[in-house]
Amino acid sequence: MIPELDTERLLLRQCREADVEPFATLYADEKTASFIGGVAPIEQVWRRLASYVGHWVLRGYGMWALEEKSSGRFVGYSGLWFPLGFAERDLAWGLVLDAQGRGFGVEAARRVKQYAFEDLGWSELFSNIDDENTPSIRLAERLGAVRERSVVVLDRPGAIFRHSPDTEH
């Protein structure tokens, strides 16, 4: 069972089929899709959403859909991601364009980080961020993450940002 989490303004809930259309808005716009694999058709978006749900079955943790409490609308996703090929468990997030700049990303990621350290008992996790993704770098830093090393992210230069339980969450 996928737990529901909440923050002051957000419900972090299981992804569902009704999220495909609003989730597709992330992949329809180059501004939001460029750091998560690029623009994609809705059929690929459906598969990505299905992989998020399946990740919970395979790993026991995963991504949540972010729903704005006041309106009930889908504003993005955040969660814990560790697909085959990743070196470590990743704290991830993504927001639809009109939800950016409102603090939803840091609010959700802060709650997910708390869940990882307090509920799951993890001692560390990281965020794998493209070097050109300045908003995500700033968000990771607001969470207390520290740039640890350079890596390649989706064939582009990036970095591992290390989150520790003793930093802000």
Side-chain angles (χ1 to χ4, degrees):
M1 177 170 224
I2 298 173
E4 283 192 349
L5 306 177
D6 70 330
T7 68
E8 181 181 336
R9 299 177 301 157
L10 297 171
L11 173 65
L12 285 71
R13 61 160 173 78
Q14 177 176 333
C15 295
R16 52 186 178 228
E17 192 165 5
D19 295 329
V20 172
E21 291 283 338
F23 198 83
T25 64
L26 283 164
Y27 284 94
D29 188 321
E30 185 59 37
K31 291 177 187 168
T32 53
S34 64
F35 300 118
I36 55 173
V39 173
I42 197 162
E43 297 83 7
Q44 288 179 9
V45 172
W46 188 93
R47 289 178 187 90
R48 171 63 68 100
L49 202 57
S51 73
Y52 286 175
V53 174
H55 192 281
W56 280 96
V57 174
L58 297 173
R59 300 274 194 209
Y61 54 88
M63 296 291 183
W64 285 273
L66 305 180
E67 183 177 299
E68 185 179 27
K69 287 180 178 178
S70 65
S71 67
R73 88 181 171 106
F74 174 93
V75 296
Y77 67 92
S78 186
L80 304 166
W81 188 236
F82 189 39
L84 191 63
F86 267 42
E88 301 179 59
R89 296 176 291 211
D90 187 55
L91 169 57
W93 52 81
L95 297 172
V96 296
L97 194 57
D98 68 351
Q100 293 180 9
R102 298 177 55 199
F104 289 139
V106 74
E107 188 173 323
R110 194 173 274 144
R111 181 63 182 97
V112 172
K113 180 180 171 182
Q114 179 185 16
Y115 178 82
F117 291 130
E118 294 179 9
D119 295 283
L120 298 178
W122 293 0
S123 59
E124 61 184 14
L125 72 153
F126 78 103
S127 292
N128 195 347
I129 304 174
D130 186 296
D131 280 342
E132 294 181 20
N133 192 346
T134 306
S136 280
I137 291 170
R138 280 195 302 260
L139 193 155
E141 290 170 342
R142 284 183 66 191
L143 293 171
V146 176
R147 184 183 182 110
E148 185 177 274
R149 66 182 186 275
S150 295
V151 295
V152 174
V153 180
L154 299 172
D155 298 323
R156 295 164 51 153
I160 296 293
F161 285 80
R162 177 75 50 199
H163 300 272
S164 299
D166 57 344
T167 60
E168 159 100 27
H169 66 252

